[in-house]
Amino acid sequence: MGYKISLADLYDPDSWRSSLAEMIATFLFVFIGAGSVVSTEIFLDHADSSRTGAKFLLIATSHGLAIAILVSAIGRISGGHINPAVTFAIALSKKISILRATMYIVAQLSGAILGALLLKSVIPEVLHKGLGTHSLAMYIDPSSGVIIEAVLTFTLVFVVFTTAVSSKGLGHVAPFAIGLTVLIDHLVAIPLTGASMNPARTLGPAFATGSWENHWVYWAGPLLGAGIASVIYMYVYEKYEN
C-alpha cells in the first residue's frame, strides 16, 4: 500500500464502522481519563502533599487500564488506535490508507470533544478542577514539553508497533502491554506535562474549558515521537520480521 489517496474508503461500510468504533472508544477514554483527574482532585486534597503520590498513581492507573480495555474492545474492529498520533504513525507506515486515517482522526477528535463536554455537563462547575486539561509545569518551557511528549509518545507507539502491529507481536496480550506503557508514561510525566501522548485526549478538555495555552505542544510532541517510532520500526525492524 502506498501513500496514494483513494476515495474507496468513503464507500466502504467497514471504514465507517471502524471510524465509529474509534469515536466511541475515544469518547469513553476522555470521559474516563479526564474524569479520573476530576475525581482525584475532589477526593484527595490537592494542598496535601502527602497525597500527591496517590493522586498520580490513581490517574495513571485509570488512563492505563482504560486504554488496555478499550483497545481490547475495538482492536478487532478498527485496530484500536484511540489516538491521532497512533493513527498518524500507522498511516505513515502504509498500514492504512490516508483517507481512512483521516476518517479515524476526525472520529477520534469528535469523540474526545463529546466526552469532555459530557463530563463538563454532569459535573457541577465548582468541581470541574480544569476537567483534566493538560498544561506544562511552571518550570517546563514549551520546547522541553515538546521533547517530553515526543519521548513519551515514541515509547507508546513503538510498543504499539512491536506488540500489536508486528506479525510476531503479542496478539491478545498486546492491549495490556500498551496500557502498561500508558500507565508508566503517566507516572513519569504527570508532574511535567500532564502526560498526554494523545492530541485527542488534550483537545477534548481544552475545547470544553477554553484552555488553549501551549496547546500546540500536545500536537507537535506526540506527532514527532509517533513519526520517529514509525520510521524506526519500518526501516530497522519490520524488514527483518519475515
Side-chain angles (χ1 to χ4, degrees):
M1 183 185 297
Y3 291 119
K4 64 182 180 180
I5 298 178
S6 170
L7 296 180
D9 282 316
L10 284 177
Y11 306 101
D12 182 0
D14 182 63
S15 295
W16 292 99
R17 185 164 49 247
S18 298
S19 297
L20 179 60
E22 287 290 323
M23 181 177 181
I24 293 170
T26 311
F27 167 87
L28 294 172
F29 177 61
V30 170
F31 187 88
I32 293 168
S36 72
V37 178
V38 174
S39 296
T40 54
E41 287 281 2
I42 293 171
F43 293 109
L44 296 178
D45 184 3
H46 185 64
D48 185 351
S49 60
S50 67
R51 298 185 177 184
T52 299
K55 174 185 172 184
F56 289 169
L57 183 59
L58 287 170
I59 293 172
T61 303
S62 295
H63 283 81
L65 290 180
I67 280 292
I69 292 168
L70 292 169
V71 171
S72 296
I74 70 165
R76 64 182 180 82
I77 302 172
S78 67
H81 300 184
I82 320 176
N83 184 339
V86 172
T87 300
F88 167 72
I90 293 178
L92 189 63
S93 68
K94 306 178 185 179
K95 304 296 183 184
I96 60 173
S97 70
I98 293 175
L99 181 56
R100 180 172 289 212
T102 302
M103 293 172 69
Y104 276 21
I105 291 172
V106 170
Q108 291 157 358
L109 298 180
S110 300
I113 290 171
L114 292 173
L117 288 176
L118 179 61
L119 183 65
K120 181 180 181 180
S121 71
V122 299
I123 301 294
E125 186 173 356
V126 68
L127 301 177
H128 281 176
K129 306 294 185 181
L131 287 180
T133 304
H134 289 128
S135 61
L136 300 178
M138 54 190 269
Y139 45 84
I140 300 295
D141 60 47
S143 60
S144 296
V146 169
I147 294 171
I148 292 168
E149 285 293 325
V151 173
L152 297 177
T153 312
F154 174 90
T155 306
L156 171 61
V157 174
F158 189 73
V159 170
V160 168
F161 272 111
T162 54
T163 64
V165 176
S166 170
S167 59
K168 298 182 178 179
L170 298 178
H172 295 303
V173 183
F176 296 95
I178 295 167
L180 281 174
T181 304
V182 170
L183 189 159
I184 292 168
D185 277 357
H186 272 80
L187 290 176
V188 170
I190 286 176
L192 306 176
T193 65
S196 173
M197 302 162 273
N198 186 334
R201 169 62 181 83
T202 299
L203 177 66
F207 183 92
T209 62
S211 303
W212 300 103
E213 186 176 4
N214 294 316
H215 184 75
W216 66 273
V217 168
Y218 298 96
W219 286 85
L223 292 178
L224 175 62
I228 295 172
S230 179
V231 170
I232 289 178
Y233 176 74
M234 279 192 295
Y235 294 105
V236 178
Y237 293 98
E238 186 176 37
K239 64 191 298 184
Y240 298 108
E241 287 188 339
N242 297 322

